[in-house]
Amino acid sequence: MTTMTFGAAINAGLRKSLENDPKVVLMGEDIGTLGGVFRITDGLQKDFGKHRVIDTPLAESGIMGTAVGLAYRGYRPVVEIQFDGFIYPAFDQIVCQVAKMHYRTRGAVTLPITIRVPFGGGIGSPEHHSESPEAYFTHTSGLRVVSVSNPQDAYTMVQQAISCNDPVLFFEPKRRYHDKGEVDLGIDPASAPDMGSAAVATPGTDVTLVTYGPLVKTARDAALAAADDGISIEVIDLRSLSPVDYSTVEASVRKTGRLVITHEAGQSGGVGAEVAASITERCFHYLESAPVRVTGFDIPYPYSKLEMHHLPDLDRILDGVDRALNRPNSLSGLEG
Amino acid sequence: MTTMTFGAAINAGLRKSLENDPKVVLMGEDIGTLGGVFRITDGLQKDFGKHRVIDTPLAESGIMGTAVGLAYRGYRPVVEIQFDGFIYPAFDQIVCQVAKMHYRTRGAVTLPITIRVPFGGGIGSPEHHSESPEAYFTHTSGLRVVSVSNPQDAYTMVQQAISCNDPVLFFEPKRRYHDKGEVDLGIDPASAPDMGSAAVATPGTDVTLVTYGPLVKTARDAALAAADDGISIEVIDLRSLSPVDYSTVEASVRKTGRLVITHEAGQSGGVGAEVAASITERCFHYLESAPVRVTGFDIPYPYSKLEMHHLPDLDRILDGVDRALNRPNSLSGLEG
Amino acid sequence: MITEHKGARHPGLVQLITPDGERVSHPEYDPWVQDVGDDQLVGLYTDMVIVRRIDTEATALQRQGELALWPPLLGQEAAQVGSARVVRTEDFIFSSYRENGVAWCRGVELPDIIRMWRGNAASGWDPYTVNMAAPQIIIGAQTLHATGYAMGIQFDGADTAAITYFGDGATSQGDVNEALVFAASFQVPVVFFCQNNHWAISEPVALQAHTRIADRAPGFGIPSMQVDGNDVLAVMAATRIAMDRARRGGGPTFIEAVTYRMGPHTTADDPTRYRDPNELEDWAAKDPLKRVKALLERKGLLTDQLLDEVEGKANDVARQLRKACVEMPDPAPSDVFRHVYSTPNTWLDRQEEHYSRYLASLGDPAAANQAEGATR
Amino acid sequence: MITEHKGARHPGLVQLITPDGERVSHPEYDPWVQDVGDDQLVGLYTDMVIVRRIDTEATALQRQGELALWPPLLGQEAAQVGSARVVRTEDFIFSSYRENGVAWCRGVELPDIIRMWRGNAASGWDPYTVNMAAPQIIIGAQTLHATGYAMGIQFDGADTAAITYFGDGATSQGDVNEALVFAASFQVPVVFFCQNNHWAISEPVALQAHTRIADRAPGFGIPSMQVDGNDVLAVMAATRIAMDRARRGGGPTFIEAVTYRMGPHTTADDPTRYRDPNELEDWAAKDPLKRVKALLERKGLLTDQLLDEVEGKANDVARQLRKACVEMPDPAPSDVFRHVYSTPNTWLDRQEEHYSRYLASLGDPAAANQAEGATR
Ligand SMILES: Cc1ncc(C[n+]2csc(CCOP(=O)(O)OP(=O)(O)O)c2C)c(N)n1
Ligand SMILES: Cc1ncc(C[n+]2csc(CCOP(=O)(O)OP(=O)(O)O)c2C)c(N)n1
Ligand SMILES: [Mg+2]
Ligand SMILES: [Mg+2]
């Protein structure tokens, strides 16, 4: 076990992938000499060369489209989107090409492309630097979508994503890049839990709290705090957002009968809507209260002086937990 | 009352808007001389000139971005996206500019842009011509999203959308363009039911069937068929997908206790997920069974020889209704 | 007066065969086609006749309800055959939807040419068996794929090249311009082959480009050529020059092949709504097939025997095409779930299971079997 | 040898003041600045000093935690002041995030210049009060807005123009190229002003453009100029030529102002990781401020009094800026819900109501009041 930051763990995972497979190439803006604006690719161009770690022109559709071409030729491109808000110029290439090529060609062409996206808020940035666009991609068939919440998963899952033959959106919670954790660098990604599986991050019995990415830490803190009040929260880290590992979530909800989902993205049509709808479908008779969503508001991501109001925090999550438990909460007395 | 096709009704609505407001301009590919590939803008360039009905270069981001500029200058652009699958190159301009400009400028700049999208399947077209991308936009704050299901609404709501100061995604069910209906051309859009409101398309008491756009007709047919079996379906035409008029849906579900949602888009993260989650939140204690979703599969839209398997039809909808009513259905005996 | 850089000088359209079939010499382009002897000329002619025959047959099949749609290439035979015939087997092609003539030259099987147009698949062939990607419907997207593929060629140190086909309308798309940026920056072996057929559905080329399309690329640092796209030899020469430069590490080249879409955009289109019939007449006089036929005639090669032979071949192909079309088996319902992912997917597996139960509940025996069997 | 169209000839960089401050004559550009007398020269110098002072102060404020971020324009003062000073009040500007010098010339209030960088708003000013759009962070997007706005000018028959600022990196984006297509096709009154400051964060301009950036536009049929962007007079002349052409119905023009980003990309950047210090030194010798100062000196205008006066003005501006910054009131929590829509929205109203109840439940009295009052 090595103690390392989240960012360093991804760097180590990328390095492993570059070492293990000569077909792995990294592409993106400023990822070479600079090592990326978050330094996630620090040192990799120096060690692997300009053909393995490619500084590209400033054009996201261009990056994604050439990644498709490279994959057509047998490469495994790992694309870095500099910030979440800059993925949209590449949306057409992702939705119409990356997601559909395998279906289009009846399996003849695989596009093992990994798209790394530093996402989410909490770092005091201006517009377009704090978005949570994951639901656009979970609604896009042909893509797999994962999000990591801790250094160990970051290290392991980035390697699993790169070796997956399907395209993977890999969402990295940028505000956790400096968080430290224990990482087993010797782990074999092939024998580690699959990136498609959810994990019980904190076991509990009274209420199921589902989340992913940056809020896993917040949710676990909430569980700790709730324990003081005698409430036992089971925190589930989804890890995979498409497909969601419903068997793990179902098992928990059948036990607790209560479900809270929290994410930074806006509520309408977010991942929480899908989880709430699917779990209601699958566990209707086990549910003792309506699934509760504690999410960002349905607003453009706000300027930084207001972001703490937008982002679910420990207190808002616990308020949602109270709602699920029919305990006094901020909406007590409101009908519906 | 005049009998006219769906397409002719939109044409008439556009004509009215062009007549009433000199700032209204239509933009798109092939909308001028040709009158659009669906002939929705037929004759308008001839009558209003090349500065009011603009054939643009073949570049969707360019169309959307210049529409933003025109709106900045006080115009009301009405953009035609030729087919649903071609909206993605404009996604960045829609999500980052059209949706956010009002928020960005604290209300100083309004962008009254209407984006017309012929959407959905059922016309035997090749790839990219039959998509249902509405959920991408209902998950995007700052946009309003509507979908029309009949010629009268098409005529009225297109005018309401154009006069709305917020940007509106206007989804037109292309496979219904040739359907005929009665249209009151003398109606004043300002006094007609607001495009934000849902409509009870068929009243009923046993189960609420929520849909929009192309499937409203199918849902109403299903209600007719179910009536023969003594089942009373209340069909709700959402009309507005963002925001959803939940008061109308809630009132119905409180009465019926059962909810089925149907749309062509894939299930995961579709509009149905949001409606199911929100109605469960608001009506948990009224629900006698889990909300049921009858939707397209989570696949790229299939080639035309298979599209009838992908698209919900009358029988699949009735099977879903049976599920909601706990009557024998295709999933009977399956747990969960 | 302010002297400014207002546009590029250009040597003008390259032509090696006049509309009347006269072989005109061009010192710079001639060497690239000097190996094209009588046999090859006859071969090109044969290809062009067959390609036009495929087009006619497919159009008829569409009219008869056997194809859902068809994008005719009438008028563009020289541009497609001339270029495709000099692309080597190891090179890779990224085309749009109209390059059925290219597909023919590439050796794509007849049923595969029409598979997607019948609605039986989203694309027709396995790209790796013919080194030609699945046709692209999103305008311009494939130019980036070709550029990325060429980056791969460069990394591999291979002496092959990629070539991408797109239309005049496509030049307005951001993707095409980004492809030029990437290709120029990385100096990769890719050839941009633009068929300027004067129309993007109903929009004339003047709406897309304020100057010659061939002028675009030099502004990105990419050399370009403008050739008569109805002249099969000029197209061959230009394509060879470009492919040769690419293979030798000389970087990208842009070719504008000036041609004309003599038919509708697709079988769903009605060009009488927007096109001056005189314009069509002018271009009919420059028909690429007529032209090579006239050349053969001047050379004394256009015997009755040849005409019969070629017609016979074309008719055979048409017959095979029709047969392949009407006999093509329908896909199975469960195909709707195939190939979305290459790895198992729990969401989709569940939907497939539910759907096969649903079909079974309708009393479909095939589906009933499926519902009981494995789901993948 | 094949004669091909390999790239455009160009007259080279336009310069009216040498790095040593010598005024060199240029028969074609001189007339456009012949009205610039001593007073105006002093005015330009003053603007440039102030703009640099704003930049320094804002950088300091960021270091002190008063601003979240700041994008320095150090080195680009001539490009920004020279161009902005000849844009008329009725013209409209669409810029990126680095044009704080342009904003200053436009009369944007000091607090409004820093509002968004402090995190107090998503943008600083009401675009219509200064005819300058909200700064654009999405690279290149604003070039299309300017083009669309110019379409509107054309429809209105007005004799004004739009101008858009963007960087060298931005030229790689599809949007910028599509803007060139639209501007050329419709021949609208828009000026593309590219500040080639040699860097896009850590990427040198050579990665974005294989040839001169000024060569790009002619390929789209748009005339272009390349000017020394550190020469305030050359920039003025070129911008006047372009704006004048636009206003007179002559269509779009592209200007490449060759300059250099002497600071980091933003205060969050560390250029020592990627930039050769010698390069910075070379450019320091061509500093735009030094240059105009040297010109003033040669003209005998650079008196101690002037220096004091200008320094005094700049210090005043800096003081005001600092005061405006530290005293800027924080937004109210409920502002998070404002201006998403201009019409009432049931979803959002509900979220606002719930959130104010939530805040009230935490015991926040302001919020409690709000929870009881109206929601909008
Ligand atoms: C992104 C996108 N937008 C719009 C369309 C609809 N469309 C299909 S073909 C076409 C015209 C293409 O013209 P051009 O590039 O000249 O090719 P041609 O059809 O002439 O071969 C258009 C607008 C599309 N397929 N993709
Ligand atoms: C679409 C998009 N992609 C990436 C970024 C991140 N980014 C911000 S500034 C910048 C470099 C811009 O370079 P240039 O256009 O030369 O302008 P400069 O910063 O030099 O003024 C990048 C990559 C962005 N803001 N928008
Ligand atoms: Mg064309
Ligand atoms: Mg720059």
Side-chain angles (χ1 to χ4, degrees):
Chain A
M1 285 292 189
T2 317
T3 305
M4 52 174 34
T5 63
F6 209 117
I10 304 175
N11 182 282
L14 294 172
R15 179 176 289 277
K16 262 272 153 73
S17 297
L18 283 161
E19 277 165 9
N20 291 342
D21 185 347
K23 290 295 183 191
V24 171
V25 292
L26 273 45
M27 311 171 67
E29 297 160 5
D30 305 292
I31 68 165
T33 326
L34 181 61
V37 295
F38 292 107
R39 311 288 185 266
I40 303 300
T41 53
D42 195 21
L44 298 178
Q45 189 181 66
K46 200 171 127 276
D47 295 346
F48 294 92
K50 291 201 169 189
H51 280 180
R52 303 291 305 282
V53 181
I54 308 163
D55 269 331
T56 64
L58 206 181
E60 287 78 8
S61 189
I63 300 170
M64 204 60 66
T66 51
V68 169
L70 276 162
Y72 234 108
R73 173 101 192 157
Y75 282 84
R76 289 190 177 267
V78 182
V79 168
E80 173 174 299
I81 297 292
Q82 195 163 79
F83 280 86
D84 33 56
F86 309 142
I87 198 168
Y88 307 119
F91 202 73
D92 177 59
Q93 285 284 348
I94 297 175
V95 167
C96 298
Q97 309 300 330
V98 176
K100 291 187 170 137
M101 195 65 81
H102 191 260
Y103 192 72
R104 179 178 305 149
T105 61
R106 289 173 295 161
V109 180
T110 54
L111 296 183
I113 299 174
T114 300
I115 305 173
R116 292 182 40 242
V117 189
F119 87 123
I123 64 161
S125 269
E127 231 190 333
H128 312 294
H129 290 73
S130 304
E131 314 237 317
S132 295
E134 61 275 15
Y136 294 131
F137 303 102
T138 58
H139 187 56
T140 305
S141 306
L143 302 175
R144 299 192 54 161
V145 183
V146 303
S147 181
V148 286
S149 71
N150 61 73
Q152 178 69 66
D153 276 359
Y155 173 73
T156 313
M157 286 168 67
V158 79
Q159 295 179 69
Q160 291 177 337
I162 294 170
S163 54
C164 177
N165 277 336
D166 290 319
V168 180
L169 269 287
F170 191 85
F171 284 99
E172 304 170 3
K174 68 171 89 80
R175 63 161 140 148
R176 304 291 181 210
Y177 275 150
H178 297 291
D179 288 7
K180 286 192 173 154
E182 296 291 295
V183 179
D184 177 359
L185 293 170
I187 210 165
D188 173 12
S191 57
D194 187 81
M195 67 175 184
S197 62
V200 176
T202 304
T205 52
D206 296 337
V207 56
T208 303
L209 175 57
V210 168
T211 190
Y212 54 89
L215 291 187
V216 172
K217 181 181 180 322
T218 319
R220 297 186 68 176
D221 290 347
L224 268 182
D228 293 342
D229 283 346
I231 298 168
S232 168
I233 299 180
E234 177 147 299
V235 177
I236 293 183
D237 179 357
L238 285 182
R239 294 168 23 114
S240 176
L241 309 183
S242 177
V244 167
D245 170 13
Y246 279 118
S247 60
T248 300
V249 185
E250 263 182 84
S252 178
V253 173
R254 285 181 191 219
K255 178 173 70 181
T256 64
R258 322 252 178 193
L259 174 63
V260 177
I261 309 135
T262 185
H263 54 61
E264 293 188 9
Q267 177 167 299
S268 298
V271 169
E274 179 55 39
V275 172
S278 287
I279 290 299
T280 305
E281 256 161 53
R282 293 164 187 243
C283 307
F284 186 68
H285 295 293
Y286 295 86
L287 281 176
E288 296 182 47
S289 61
V292 169
R293 290 180 284 170
V294 180
T295 68
F297 305 122
D298 287 323
I299 58 172
Y301 194 89
Y303 32 102
S304 59
K305 282 266 165 89
L306 288 180
E307 68 180 332
M308 71 288 203
H309 289 289
H310 178 65
L311 295 172
D313 61 9
L314 188 144
D315 288 327
R316 255 170 86 197
I317 291 173
L318 288 179
D319 184 57
V321 166
D322 286 341
R323 232 180 308 153
L325 287 165
N326 301 116
R327 285 163 46 100
N329 64 76
S330 68
L331 301 187
S332 296
L334 262 192
E335 55 149 8
Chain B
M1 286 292 191
T2 316
T3 306
M4 53 180 19
T5 62
F6 208 118
I10 304 175
N11 182 283
L14 293 172
R15 179 177 287 277
K16 261 270 153 72
S17 297
L18 283 162
E19 277 165 9
N20 290 342
D21 186 345
K23 291 297 183 189
V24 171
V25 291
L26 274 47
M27 311 171 68
E29 297 159 5
D30 305 292
I31 68 165
T33 325
L34 181 62
V37 295
F38 293 107
R39 310 288 185 267
I40 303 299
T41 54
D42 194 21
L44 297 178
Q45 188 182 66
K46 200 169 126 277
D47 295 347
F48 294 92
K50 291 201 170 188
H51 281 180
R52 303 289 307 282
V53 181
I54 307 163
D55 269 331
T56 64
L58 206 182
E60 287 76 10
S61 189
I63 300 171
M64 204 61 66
T66 52
V68 168
L70 276 161
Y72 233 109
R73 174 106 191 149
Y75 282 84
R76 288 189 177 271
V78 182
V79 168
E80 173 174 301
I81 297 291
Q82 195 164 78
F83 279 85
D84 33 59
F86 309 143
I87 199 168
Y88 307 118
F91 201 73
D92 177 59
Q93 284 284 346
I94 297 175
V95 168
C96 297
Q97 309 300 331
V98 176
K100 289 187 172 140
M101 195 65 80
H102 191 261
Y103 191 73
R104 179 179 305 150
T105 61
R106 289 173 294 160
V109 179
T110 54
L111 296 183
I113 299 174
T114 301
I115 304 172
R116 292 182 40 242
V117 189
F119 87 122
I123 64 161
S125 269
E127 233 191 332
H128 312 293
H129 290 72
S130 303
E131 314 238 316
S132 295
E134 61 274 15
Y136 295 130
F137 303 101
T138 59
H139 187 56
T140 305
S141 306
L143 302 175
R144 299 192 51 161
V145 183
V146 302
S147 181
V148 288
S149 71
N150 61 74
Q152 179 69 65
D153 276 0
Y155 173 72
T156 313
M157 286 168 68
V158 79
Q159 294 179 68
Q160 291 177 339
I162 293 170
S163 54
C164 177
N165 278 337
D166 290 319
V168 181
L169 270 284
F170 191 86
F171 283 100
E172 304 169 2
K174 68 171 88 79
R175 66 161 138 149
R176 303 291 180 210
Y177 274 150
H178 296 291
D179 288 7
K180 284 192 176 154
E182 294 291 296
V183 179
D184 177 359
L185 294 170
I187 210 164
D188 173 13
S191 56
D194 187 82
M195 67 175 184
S197 62
V200 175
T202 304
T205 52
D206 296 337
V207 57
T208 302
L209 175 57
V210 168
T211 189
Y212 53 88
L215 291 187
V216 173
K217 182 182 179 320
T218 318
R220 297 187 69 176
D221 291 348
L224 267 181
D228 292 344
D229 282 347
I231 298 169
S232 169
I233 299 180
E234 177 148 299
V235 177
I236 293 183
D237 179 357
L238 285 182
R239 295 169 20 116
S240 177
L241 308 184
S242 176
V244 166
D245 170 13
Y246 279 118
S247 61
T248 299
V249 185
E250 262 182 83
S252 178
V253 173
R254 285 181 191 218
K255 181 173 68 182
T256 63
R258 322 253 176 191
L259 174 63
V260 176
I261 309 137
T262 185
H263 54 60
E264 294 187 8
Q267 177 166 300
S268 298
V271 168
E274 179 56 38
V275 171
S278 287
I279 289 300
T280 305
E281 253 161 56
R282 293 167 187 240
C283 307
F284 187 68
H285 296 293
Y286 295 86
L287 282 176
E288 297 181 47
S289 62
V292 169
R293 291 178 284 169
V294 180
T295 68
F297 304 122
D298 287 323
I299 59 172
Y301 195 89
Y303 32 101
S304 59
K305 283 265 166 90
L306 288 180
E307 67 181 332
M308 71 287 204
H309 289 288
H310 178 65
L311 295 172
D313 61 8
L314 189 142
D315 287 326
R316 255 170 86 196
I317 290 173
L318 289 179
D319 184 55
V321 166
D322 286 340
R323 231 181 308 154
L325 287 164
N326 301 116
R327 286 161 46 99
N329 64 76
S330 69
L331 302 186
S332 296
L334 261 194
E335 55 148 9
Chain C
M1 242 300 295
I2 305 299
T3 60
E4 282 164 40
H5 182 58
K6 280 225 187 205
R9 307 229 149 259
H10 51 81
L13 194 79
V14 174
Q15 197 179 66
L16 300 184
I17 315 175
T18 68
D20 301 332
E22 191 188 342
R23 178 72 172 79
V24 288
S25 81
H26 191 301
E28 287 141 14
Y29 283 70
D30 282 347
W32 294 91
V33 286
Q34 68 187 13
D35 63 318
V36 181
D38 291 352
D39 281 4
Q40 266 184 280
L41 221 45
V42 166
L44 292 167
Y45 171 67
T46 310
D47 276 336
M48 288 167 69
V49 171
I50 291 175
V51 161
R52 182 168 290 188
R53 191 68 185 81
I54 289 175
D55 207 58
T56 322
E57 194 67 18
T59 300
L61 284 164
Q62 195 281 333
R63 298 279 177 245
Q64 292 153 10
E66 295 291 345
L67 294 180
L69 194 74
W70 180 256
L73 57 73
L74 188 71
Q76 301 178 221
E77 294 86 354
Q80 296 196 13
V81 170
S83 56
R85 275 292 172 223
V86 301
V87 175
R88 297 192 191 144
T89 311
E90 326 80 73
D91 300 326
F92 211 99
I93 296 176
F94 291 84
S95 79
S96 89
Y97 43 84
R98 203 184 294 286
E99 281 70 62
N100 291 300
V102 175
W104 162 258
C105 294
R106 211 59 188 160
V108 171
E109 304 280 343
L110 290 172
D112 290 346
I113 287 184
I114 48 166
R115 198 176 295 285
M116 74 175 269
W117 303 107
R118 187 166 165 85
N120 283 51
S123 71
W125 56 86
D126 176 341
Y128 297 115
T129 61
V130 287
N131 280 354
M132 177 168 178
Q136 182 57 244
I137 289 177
I138 300 296
I139 299 297
Q142 75 279 12
T143 58
L144 281 167
H145 306 166
T147 303
Y149 190 94
M151 288 166 68
I153 294 176
Q154 188 184 60
F155 299 165
D156 295 343
D159 65 347
T160 60
I163 178 169
T164 177
Y165 289 82
F166 54 100
D168 46 305
T171 61
S172 291
Q173 286 283 6
D175 273 8
V176 174
N177 294 282
E178 293 188 10
L180 296 176
V181 169
F182 277 67
S185 280
F186 296 130
Q187 288 292 299
V188 295
V190 62
V191 174
F192 295 94
F193 192 92
C194 178
Q195 287 174 81
N196 172 3
N197 67 4
H198 284 77
W199 293 96
I201 309 187
S202 75
E203 299 188 340
V205 60
L207 180 59
Q208 318 286 347
H210 192 66
T211 177
R212 294 195 326 160
I213 285 178
D215 291 343
R216 178 80 60 92
F220 292 80
I222 296 178
S224 75
M225 298 177 254
Q226 191 190 47
V227 298
D228 184 332
N230 285 5
D231 171 346
V232 70
L233 286 185
V235 170
M236 280 183 85
T239 311
R240 276 184 167 166
I241 291 167
M243 294 295 280
D244 181 66
R245 175 185 298 145
R247 289 190 201 99
R248 284 188 295 101
T253 304
F254 189 104
I255 298 170
E256 177 191 0
V258 181
T259 177
Y260 195 79
R261 192 197 79 205
M262 294 172 73
H265 170 66
T266 66
T267 46
D269 180 38
D270 173 11
T272 64
R273 292 181 66 101
Y274 54 80
R275 184 155 70 179
D276 181 350
N278 293 327
E279 190 183 286
L280 183 58
E281 228 173 84
D282 290 352
W283 280 94
K286 305 184 216 163
D287 184 306
L289 239 169
K290 259 195 214 150
R291 190 179 305 201
V292 70
K293 209 167 158 181
L295 175 65
L296 290 178
E297 183 144 42
R298 281 170 188 261
K299 293 189 153 231
L301 296 168
L302 199 71
T303 60
D304 283 352
Q305 194 201 339
L306 177 69
L307 284 170
D308 284 355
E309 215 176 279
V310 172
E311 198 191 330
K313 274 191 195 162
N315 285 339
D316 271 359
V317 168
R319 252 190 310 275
Q320 287 167 40
L321 185 78
R322 171 169 293 272
K323 187 162 182 298
C325 180
V326 299
E327 291 179 358
M328 195 173 288
D330 279 346
S334 61
D335 284 348
V336 88
F337 299 103
R338 292 292 160 270
H339 305 305
V340 181
Y341 297 94
S342 66
T343 50
N345 185 286
T346 51
W347 283 3
L348 205 52
D349 289 348
R350 189 171 191 257
Q351 291 183 6
E352 177 167 0
E353 190 198 338
H354 286 190
Y355 189 61
S356 62
R357 278 182 183 268
Y358 166 76
L359 288 180
S361 77
L362 294 183
D364 176 338
N369 274 340
Q370 221 180 343
E372 278 151 31
T375 55
R376 184 160 290 269
Chain D
M1 245 297 297
I2 304 300
T3 59
E4 281 163 40
H5 182 56
K6 278 228 187 205
R9 307 229 149 259
H10 51 79
L13 194 77
V14 174
Q15 196 179 68
L16 301 184
I17 316 175
T18 66
D20 301 332
E22 189 188 342
R23 176 71 172 82
V24 288
S25 80
H26 191 302
E28 288 140 14
Y29 283 72
D30 281 346
W32 293 92
V33 286
Q34 69 188 13
D35 64 317
V36 181
D38 292 353
D39 281 4
Q40 266 185 278
L41 222 46
V42 166
L44 292 167
Y45 172 67
T46 311
D47 276 337
M48 288 167 68
V49 171
I50 291 175
V51 160
R52 182 168 291 187
R53 190 69 185 81
I54 289 175
D55 207 60
T56 322
E57 194 67 19
T59 300
L61 284 164
Q62 194 281 333
R63 298 278 177 248
Q64 292 152 11
E66 297 291 345
L67 293 180
L69 195 73
W70 180 255
L73 56 74
L74 187 73
Q76 301 178 221
E77 295 86 354
Q80 296 196 11
V81 170
S83 56
R85 275 294 172 220
V86 301
V87 175
R88 297 193 192 145
T89 311
E90 325 82 72
D91 299 326
F92 211 99
I93 296 175
F94 291 84
S95 79
S96 89
Y97 43 83
R98 204 184 293 287
E99 282 68 63
N100 291 299
V102 175
W104 162 259
C105 294
R106 212 59 189 161
V108 171
E109 303 281 342
L110 290 172
D112 290 347
I113 287 183
I114 49 167
R115 199 176 294 285
M116 75 174 267
W117 302 107
R118 187 166 166 86
N120 284 51
S123 71
W125 56 87
D126 175 343
Y128 296 115
T129 62
V130 288
N131 280 355
M132 176 168 177
Q136 181 58 244
I137 291 177
I138 299 296
I139 300 297
Q142 75 279 11
T143 58
L144 281 168
H145 306 166
T147 303
Y149 189 94
M151 287 167 68
I153 294 176
Q154 189 186 61
F155 298 166
D156 294 344
D159 64 347
T160 59
I163 178 169
T164 179
Y165 290 82
F166 53 100
D168 46 305
T171 61
S172 292
Q173 285 284 6
D175 273 8
V176 174
N177 294 282
E178 293 188 9
L180 297 176
V181 169
F182 277 68
S185 280
F186 296 131
Q187 287 291 299
V188 295
V190 62
V191 174
F192 295 93
F193 193 93
C194 178
Q195 287 174 82
N196 173 2
N197 67 3
H198 284 76
W199 293 95
I201 309 185
S202 74
E203 299 189 339
V205 60
L207 181 58
Q208 317 287 346
H210 192 65
T211 177
R212 293 196 325 160
I213 286 178
D215 291 342
R216 178 80 59 92
F220 291 81
I222 297 178
S224 76
M225 299 177 254
Q226 191 191 47
V227 298
D228 184 333
N230 286 5
D231 171 346
V232 72
L233 286 185
V235 171
M236 279 183 84
T239 311
R240 277 184 166 166
I241 291 168
M243 294 297 278
D244 181 67
R245 176 185 295 146
R247 290 192 200 99
R248 286 187 296 100
T253 304
F254 189 104
I255 298 170
E256 176 191 0
V258 181
T259 177
Y260 195 78
R261 193 198 78 205
M262 294 172 72
H265 170 67
T266 66
T267 47
D269 180 39
D270 172 11
T272 64
R273 292 181 66 102
Y274 53 80
R275 184 153 70 179
D276 181 348
N278 294 327
E279 189 183 287
L280 183 57
E281 228 173 85
D282 290 351
W283 279 93
K286 304 184 214 161
D287 184 307
L289 241 170
K290 258 194 217 153
R291 190 178 307 198
V292 71
K293 210 167 158 180
L295 175 63
L296 289 178
E297 183 143 43
R298 282 171 189 260
K299 290 190 154 234
L301 296 167
L302 200 71
T303 60
D304 283 353
Q305 194 200 337
L306 178 70
L307 284 170
D308 284 356
E309 216 176 278
V310 172
E311 199 190 332
K313 275 189 194 162
N315 285 339
D316 272 357
V317 167
R319 254 190 307 275
Q320 288 167 41
L321 184 78
R322 173 169 292 273
K323 188 161 180 304
C325 181
V326 298
E327 291 179 357
M328 196 172 288
D330 279 349
S334 61
D335 283 349
V336 87
F337 299 103
R338 295 289 159 271
H339 305 306
V340 181
Y341 297 93
S342 65
T343 50
N345 186 286
T346 49
W347 282 3
L348 205 51
D349 290 349
R350 188 169 194 258
Q351 291 183 6
E352 176 167 3
E353 191 198 336
H354 285 191
Y355 189 60
S356 63
R357 278 181 183 268
Y358 167 75
L359 287 181
S361 77
L362 295 184
D364 175 339
N369 275 339
Q370 221 181 344
E372 276 151 32
T375 55
R376 184 160 289 270

